[in-house]
Amino acid sequence: MKETLPLVSIALCTYNGQDYLATQLDSILAQDYANIEIVISDDCSTDNTVAIIHEYVSSNPGINFKVNEHNLGFNQNFLSTISSCKGEYIAIADQDDIWNSNKITMMIRNVGNNLLIYHDSAFIDENGVPNGKSISSLHHFVKGESTIQLLYNNCISGHACLIAKELFKYVHEIPEGIYYDWWFGYIAACENRLNFVKEKLVQHRRHNKSSTATDKKNNKEIRRLQLKYFANYLSTPPKTKKLLYDLLEGYHVLDVKSFSPRLLFTLLKNFHSLFYIRKRSIFSKLKIILAECRRNP
């Protein structure tokens, strides 16, 4: 008896993505995995994005497409898209990437009992030209109960994720000030059900118009807020929770003093775990730690 493949929902949130959208949709439709649905939510684009999608829907009626009544913003549009997905697994798609044809097949083959798995991706520029680098050029990947490693840096990119729908039993909201992929990865790590595959399964486009290209680096106030989210999450392991309380106490010193020795001690004591993900020199990481321990001017 032939085994039934689990349904995979491909969730695509669009907003003013006319430049690269057709190429991405072509790569999604070319997947060699036989049981997928495509769910697209547009967040009130003002360019030709909606017209492009309608062209694809006319020749691919299985695409589930809606335009929001008003602009929701990325996180809420993402949750709205997820709520329309019927699959046992959900794969997140950016509007400007190019997927390898075996992406979904490889992810399903490796997902096992994990709540979330992710993969490596090769970087391309706005013209689709590879620059020879990838996500793994910048980050070490983590798996399993890696909550401490995920407190300061994130190596999990949304476009690279395959998420078991079961994970959303643990997700009540996406907190403000933290990316959904980081939050989902942390939740999966708390359950010891996080993994990755080493293959580069997407050509990930980096260009000036992308959402991450326009982001500002997190300041200490945002970081303190993120650490509070992690500390307040009910399934955070006890060892990680204790470290989070120590870190937050160290930051609290900066409310009354210009430098926090307590924070410095905690960061140095847990240096290798807290700063494992980013591939930087020790000197660079020490500079970051010293800056972290000083009050912002």
Side-chain angles (χ1 to χ4, degrees):
M1 184 175 178
K2 189 173 181 180
E3 183 180 358
T4 302
L5 294 172
L7 176 64
V8 176
S9 299
I10 298 174
L12 173 58
C13 297
T14 59
Y15 179 71
N16 289 349
Q18 65 178 15
D19 292 345
Y20 310 109
L21 181 57
T23 303
Q24 170 67 314
L25 287 171
D26 288 341
S27 73
I28 291 173
L29 290 167
Q31 290 297 297
D32 62 14
Y33 188 80
N35 193 16
I36 65 172
E37 68 165 358
I38 301 172
V39 180
I40 306 175
S41 294
D42 184 78
D43 206 19
C44 303
S45 292
T46 57
D47 63 1
N48 291 323
T49 295
V50 171
I52 292 169
I53 297 171
H54 277 309
E55 289 182 13
Y56 277 84
V57 171
S58 65
S59 55
N60 299 276
I63 295 175
N64 178 350
F65 175 49
K66 67 175 181 179
V67 179
N68 298 330
E69 293 183 3
H70 58 274
N71 185 276
L72 299 177
F74 184 78
N75 274 354
Q76 291 306 312
N77 188 32
F78 174 76
L79 287 177
S80 175
T81 308
I82 292 296
S83 69
S84 299
C85 291
K86 300 175 183 176
E88 182 179 346
Y89 297 97
I90 298 167
I92 311 304
D94 284 353
Q95 63 186 1
D96 43 13
D97 292 340
I98 304 172
W99 284 16
N100 291 10
S101 61
N102 66 336
K103 170 183 158 83
I104 298 298
T105 297
M106 287 294 296
M107 297 297 275
I108 288 293
R109 187 177 297 165
N110 288 279
V111 66
N113 190 43
N114 292 291
L115 291 172
L116 187 152
I117 63 169
Y118 60 103
H119 59 71
D120 200 2
S121 296
F123 294 142
I124 57 175
D125 66 15
E126 58 187 8
N127 297 313
V129 178
N131 66 7
K133 295 184 178 181
S134 64
I135 296 175
S136 61
S137 300
L138 305 177
H139 302 294
H140 292 108
F141 290 162
V142 296
K143 63 181 180 179
E145 199 282 275
S146 51
T147 51
I148 291 176
Q149 288 86 346
L150 286 166
L151 294 182
Y152 273 74
N153 295 113
N154 179 35
C155 57
I156 301 161
S157 297
H159 77 271
C161 291
L162 182 74
I163 303 168
K165 203 159 192 181
E166 181 189 350
L167 179 136
F168 295 98
K169 294 193 303 186
Y170 304 89
V171 177
H172 304 293
E173 61 180 352
I174 302 173
E176 289 294 326
I178 191 166
Y179 290 118
Y180 75 86
D181 45 18
W182 195 350
W183 186 241
F184 290 175
Y186 182 80
I187 290 173
C190 285
E191 302 300 323
N192 197 20
R193 296 170 68 185
L194 173 71
N195 209 344
F196 63 86
V197 297
K198 296 179 180 179
E199 285 80 3
K200 299 177 181 67
L201 299 177
V202 164
Q203 296 176 65
H204 182 54
R205 199 182 304 267
R206 306 181 92 190
H207 56 92
N208 292 332
K209 294 181 181 179
S210 67
S211 59
T212 53
T214 57
D215 284 340
K216 296 180 180 179
K217 291 184 178 180
N218 290 337
N219 60 33
K220 275 193 274 290
E221 286 307 309
I222 294 176
R223 191 152 25 253
R224 289 173 75 170
L225 186 62
Q226 292 170 341
L227 294 175
K228 287 178 183 177
Y229 291 146
F230 295 140
N232 292 333
Y233 182 64
L234 290 177
S235 295
T236 291
K239 181 179 178 181
T240 304
K241 195 176 285 283
K242 181 182 183 308
L243 173 56
L244 282 161
Y245 289 149
D246 289 343
L247 289 166
L248 289 168
E249 285 296 320
Y251 280 106
H252 183 64
V253 173
L254 294 174
D255 294 335
V256 293
K257 295 184 179 180
S258 60
F259 188 83
S260 175
R262 179 168 183 169
L263 181 58
L264 178 63
F265 173 78
T266 304
L267 291 174
L268 289 176
K269 181 180 178 182
N270 299 276
F271 175 84
H272 292 293
S273 296
L274 288 174
F275 299 98
Y276 169 75
I277 285 178
R278 290 295 298 273
K279 289 185 175 180
R280 289 179 170 174
S281 68
I282 292 179
F283 177 73
S284 175
K285 291 179 180 180
L286 289 175
K287 284 181 63 178
I288 291 171
I289 287 175
L290 288 174
E292 202 70 13
C293 297
R294 296 190 184 100
R295 186 194 298 170
N296 288 337

